[in-house]
């Protein structure tokens, strides 16, 4: 379980980012839920939110659910007619809105609807709503009761399309829909969404993609910063330095345009154009190399890419905060050249294909002499792996086969390996592991197959901070410590 004092959000207060812990957020959502209950919200009743993406929206989401309600998002740019349809179709009687301009739209759309705003405004803001709960004597026990009422198949949200490409359509989303999404994504992408990661949510929270991202992030303990104005996305990335972002293609285009503009201002426009073309070509090579492992780049493109790395690519990554490991683009088609451009500068993944490591790793880990199998290969054209031996089992395996010298050598290496790790090059061990790897490769798609691996003996324990209290590998810490082993693994490929 994530520590209640772990930072869940950073909210902007008077131009400064202020951290909000899980415990603080939970308390704020509970108090707002009491206000909603005091305002008359009943279990199963729809409550709308109309606002740009912001911290208060997240608070409203969880408060509505805690009060037993159903969240109905409305795009902040919705017209009066669009808002009227959503409010009337869903039977909304209470709305949480960003400010007076949204209140005007809502009250015009449906006279009599009760609107509370995020902004301070003459006794009808969130502070006043919380005070209403206090005055009404709503207790924690009532919030707990309301929170437990909804079952998996009960409605959690009714999400409407924006209506820009036709008539608006509402989609009924259950609590089970969200739970399955959150659990599956968090399990499949532990390297991306975890309590050491951070993200910026710039997409509208009225869109289910952003709503899903927010829930996954909260569940995994990933720090969230909301940016309501997409035009501020590039500046926000440099300030906040996220490790992961979900974006739409337009934002990726804006980032590339910003980098191009900076180059032109310095008189480097033509050079940037060459770097851009090189990145696209390199990204295309990485994409093709995924399905053609024997493919190698010509010396000239490799040299150009190496030349432009410090001149442009590293600067572009710094423009995005310098820590972005993964980008996910959704909501509209991503131009292949744009995707290859970002692959080429070292961001999405290098090969443009999502590799789920768990199936391959689980097969290899069933080998008794294997303690851990970890797929690596970010920013590389193919997947490789680090395979850590279970020293005790490997020694017993060697003894059973009469390889006493190998057993003695493994025992010595296990004793002296420490946390740095020692590479095993014994042909008998490698041949055995190769058979296990071949079996795992046969069980997965070609894109998920491992081409090269290194066998190691290293310390794995809770005391070494390599394992969690539940004996799960701390993947990020382990890979950071094994950086040289990973570099050596790919260097051996270059030399072969």
């Amino acid at each position: 379980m994530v520590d209640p004092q772990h930072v869940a959000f950073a909210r902007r207060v008077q131009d400064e980012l202020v951290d909000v812990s899980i415990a603080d957020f939970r308390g704020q959502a509970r108090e707002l839920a009491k206000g909603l209950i005091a305002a008359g919200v009943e279990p199963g009743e729809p409550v709308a939110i109309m606002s740009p993406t912001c911290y208060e929206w997240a608070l409203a989401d969880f408060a509505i659910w805690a009060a037993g309600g159903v969240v109905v998002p409305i795009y902040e740019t919705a017209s009066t007619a669009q808002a009227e349809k959503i409010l009337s179709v869903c039977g909304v009687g209470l709305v949480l809105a960003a400010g007076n301009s949204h209140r005007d739209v809502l009250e015009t759309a449906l006279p009599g609807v009760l609107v509370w705003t995020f902004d301070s405004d003459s006794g009808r803001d969130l502070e006043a709503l919380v005070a209403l709960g206090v005055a009404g004597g709503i207790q924690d026990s009532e919030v707990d009761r309301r929170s437990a009422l909804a079952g998996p198949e009960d409605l959690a949200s009714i999400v409407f399309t924006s209506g820009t490409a036709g008539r608006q359509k509402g989609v009924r989303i259950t609590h089970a829909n969200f739970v399955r999404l959150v659990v599956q994504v968090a399990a499949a992408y532990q390297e991306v969404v975890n309590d050491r990661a951070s993200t910026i949510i710039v997409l509208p929270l009225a869109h289910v993609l952003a709503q899903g991202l927010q829930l996954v992030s909260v569940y995994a303990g990933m720090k969230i910063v909301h940016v309501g104005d997409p035009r501020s996305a590039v500046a926000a990335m440099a300030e906040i330095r996220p490790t992961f972002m979900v974006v739409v293609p337009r934002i990726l285009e804006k980032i590339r345009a910003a980098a191009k503009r900076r180059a032109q201002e310095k008189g480097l426009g033509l050079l940037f154009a060459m770097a851009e073309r090189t990145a696209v070509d390199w990204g295309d090579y990485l994409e093709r190399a995924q399905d053609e492992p024997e493919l190698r780049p010509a010396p000239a493109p490799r040299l150009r890419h190496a030349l432009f790395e410090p001149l442009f690519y590293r600067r572009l990554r710094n423009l995005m905060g310098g820590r972005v490991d993964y980008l996910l683009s959704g909501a509209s088609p991503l131009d292949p050249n744009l995707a290859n451009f970002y692959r080429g500068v070292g961001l999405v993944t290098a090969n443009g294909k999502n590799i789920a490591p768990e199936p391959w790793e689980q097969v290899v880990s069933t080998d008794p002499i294997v303690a851990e199998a970890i797929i690596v290969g970010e920013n590389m054209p193919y997947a490789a792996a680090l395979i850590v031996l279970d020293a005790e089992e490997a020694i017993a395996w060697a003894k059973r086969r009469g390889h006493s010298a190998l057993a003695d050598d493994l025992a010595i290496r296990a004793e002296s390996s420490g946390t740095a790790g020692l590479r095993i090059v014994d042909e008998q061990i490698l041949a055995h592991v190769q058979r296990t790897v071949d079996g795992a490769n046969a069980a997965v798609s070609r894109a998920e197959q491992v081409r090269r691996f290194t066998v190691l003996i290293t310390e794995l324990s809770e005391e070494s901070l390599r394992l969690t209290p539940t004996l799960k590998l701390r993947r990020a810490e382990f890979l950071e410590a094994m950086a040289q082993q990973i570099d050596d693994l790919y260097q051996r490929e270059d030399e072969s």
Side-chain angles (χ1 to χ4, degrees), residues 36-53:
L36 291 171
I37 294 170
V41 173
E42 295 293 338
E45 180 177 339
V47 178
I49 306 174
M50 185 179 188
S51 167
T53 294

Side-chain angles (χ1 to χ4, degrees), residues 70-73 86 89-90 155-162 168-174 177-178 206 208 211:
V70 176
V71 175
V72 180
I86 294 173
V89 167
C90 296
L155 272 182
S157 185
I158 305 175
V159 178
F160 281 76
T161 60
S162 63
Q168 289 174 287
K169 299 176 183 178
V171 179
R172 297 162 61 89
I173 300 176
T174 67
N177 292 148
F178 278 136
V208 72
Q211 196 175 22

Side-chain angles (χ1 to χ4, degrees), residues 24-275:
D24 288 341
F25 179 75
R26 184 181 295 146
Q28 292 170 22
R30 177 180 288 271
E31 294 307 306
L32 185 56
K34 293 178 183 178
L36 291 171
I37 294 170
V41 173
E42 295 293 338
E45 180 177 339
V47 178
I49 306 174
M50 185 179 188
S51 167
T53 294
C54 60
Y55 171 78
E56 288 78 11
W57 183 302
L59 199 60
D61 256 348
F62 282 82
I64 293 169
W65 285 323
V70 176
V71 175
V72 180
I74 302 178
Y75 283 89
E76 67 143 338
T77 56
S79 67
T80 300
Q82 290 171 328
E84 189 277 330
K85 177 182 178 180
I86 294 173
L87 295 174
S88 59
V89 167
C90 296
V92 173
L94 185 148
V95 185
L96 299 175
N100 288 335
S101 62
H102 300 97
R103 170 184 284 174
D104 292 343
V105 170
L106 293 162
E107 291 181 341
T108 301
L110 190 65
V113 69
L114 187 60
V115 182
W116 298 79
T117 64
F118 297 162
D119 294 338
S120 298
D121 180 61
S122 63
R124 192 57 70 82
D125 58 10
L126 295 190
E127 185 177 341
L129 188 54
V130 168
L132 186 65
V134 174
I138 308 300
Q139 301 298 310
D140 286 348
S141 58
E142 176 60 13
V143 178
D144 293 338
R145 186 187 75 83
R146 296 282 193 100
S147 298
L149 287 177
E153 301 309 319
D154 288 323
L155 272 182
S157 185
I158 305 175
V159 178
F160 281 76
T161 60
S162 63
T164 56
R167 296 177 56 190
Q168 289 174 287
K169 299 176 183 178
V171 179
R172 297 162 61 89
I173 300 176
T174 67
H175 288 282
N177 292 148
F178 278 136
V179 169
R180 292 188 191 107
L181 167 73
V182 166
V183 172
Q184 291 174 5
V185 171
Y189 299 96
Q190 294 178 27
E191 288 187 50
V192 183
V193 287
N194 54 62
D195 59 6
R196 301 174 301 281
S198 61
T199 189
I200 296 174
I201 298 182
V202 68
L203 300 177
L205 282 166
H207 194 290
V208 72
L209 179 61
Q211 196 175 22
L213 169 63
Q214 179 160 269
L215 292 173
V216 169
S217 300
V218 170
Y219 175 81
M222 183 159 63
K223 182 178 178 179
I224 301 170
V225 183
H226 298 92
V227 176
D229 186 352
R231 294 172 298 182
S232 304
V234 177
M237 292 180 75
E239 175 191 11
I240 297 163
R241 304 184 66 223
T243 60
F244 167 67
M245 279 191 68
V246 175
V247 296
V248 293
R250 178 58 183 153
I251 291 177
L252 296 179
E253 291 168 356
K254 287 174 66 67
I255 294 170
R256 181 174 62 176
K260 182 182 296 187
R261 184 173 60 253
R262 291 189 179 190
Q264 290 171 340
E265 290 170 352
K266 297 178 180 179
L268 300 174
L270 291 178
L271 200 59
F272 183 87
M274 293 176 60

Side-chain angles (χ1 to χ4, degrees), residues 188-189 290 349 351 353-358 375 382-383 447-449:
Y189 299 96
Q290 180 66 37
T349 60
N351 50 47
K353 295 185 183 293
N354 290 325
I355 295 178
E358 287 81 7
I375 286 183
Y382 58 85
E448 296 169 312
Q449 292 175 359

Side-chain angles (χ1 to χ4, degrees), residues 192-445:
V192 183
V193 287
N194 54 62
D195 59 6
R196 301 174 301 281
S198 61
T199 189
I200 296 174
I201 298 182
V202 68
L203 300 177
L205 282 166
H207 194 290
V208 72
L209 179 61
Q211 196 175 22
L213 169 63
Q214 179 160 269
L215 292 173
V216 169
S217 300
V218 170
Y219 175 81
M222 183 159 63
K223 182 178 178 179
I224 301 170
V225 183
H226 298 92
V227 176
D229 186 352
R231 294 172 298 182
S232 304
V234 177
M237 292 180 75
E239 175 191 11
I240 297 163
R241 304 184 66 223
T243 60
F244 167 67
M245 279 191 68
V246 175
V247 296
V248 293
R250 178 58 183 153
I251 291 177
L252 296 179
E253 291 168 356
K254 287 174 66 67
I255 294 170
R256 181 174 62 176
K260 182 182 296 187
R261 184 173 60 253
R262 291 189 179 190
Q264 290 171 340
E265 290 170 352
K266 297 178 180 179
L268 300 174
L270 291 178
L271 200 59
F272 183 87
M274 293 176 60
E276 184 177 12
R277 183 68 257 170
T278 298
V280 171
D281 291 344
W282 189 257
D284 178 67
Y285 152 68
L286 293 174
E287 171 71 10
R288 290 184 292 112
Q290 180 66 37
D291 296 320
E292 302 175 52
E294 70 284 355
L295 192 66
R296 291 291 180 274
R302 181 188 287 272
L303 181 62
R304 286 197 300 270
H305 189 271
L307 171 66
F308 290 131
E309 163 62 22
L311 288 176
F312 292 112
Y313 304 153
R314 186 183 304 158
R315 294 173 186 271
L316 179 60
R317 296 196 298 270
N318 289 337
L319 181 67
M320 302 171 71
R323 298 201 307 158
V324 176
D325 295 319
Y326 300 91
L327 285 171
L328 172 64
S329 178
S332 61
L334 178 62
D335 178 74
N337 279 344
L338 187 61
N340 282 332
F341 171 76
Y342 279 96
R343 286 190 200 103
V345 300
L347 300 167
V348 192
T349 60
N351 50 47
K353 295 185 183 293
N354 290 325
I355 295 178
E358 287 81 7
W360 188 94
E361 293 174 347
Q362 288 171 2
V363 172
V364 175
S365 295
T366 60
D367 188 317
I369 74 169
V370 174
E372 294 284 349
I374 306 98
I375 286 183
V376 299
E378 290 81 1
N379 296 323
M380 295 296 179
Y382 58 85
L386 298 178
I387 297 176
V388 181
L389 293 183
D390 182 315
E392 184 176 348
E393 290 289 342
I395 291 169
W397 175 89
K399 288 180 177 178
R400 287 195 301 271
R401 285 158 177 75
H403 305 313
S404 56
L406 173 59
D408 292 343
D409 181 65
L410 289 173
I412 293 172
R413 288 176 177 272
E415 185 69 25
S416 60
S417 66
T419 58
L422 291 175
R423 180 183 166 208
I424 302 299
V425 296
D426 178 82
E427 291 184 0
Q428 301 165 92
I429 291 286
L430 294 182
H432 174 85
V433 173
Q434 182 67 66
R435 288 191 291 272
T436 300
V437 168
D438 290 343
N441 281 345
V444 299
S445 70

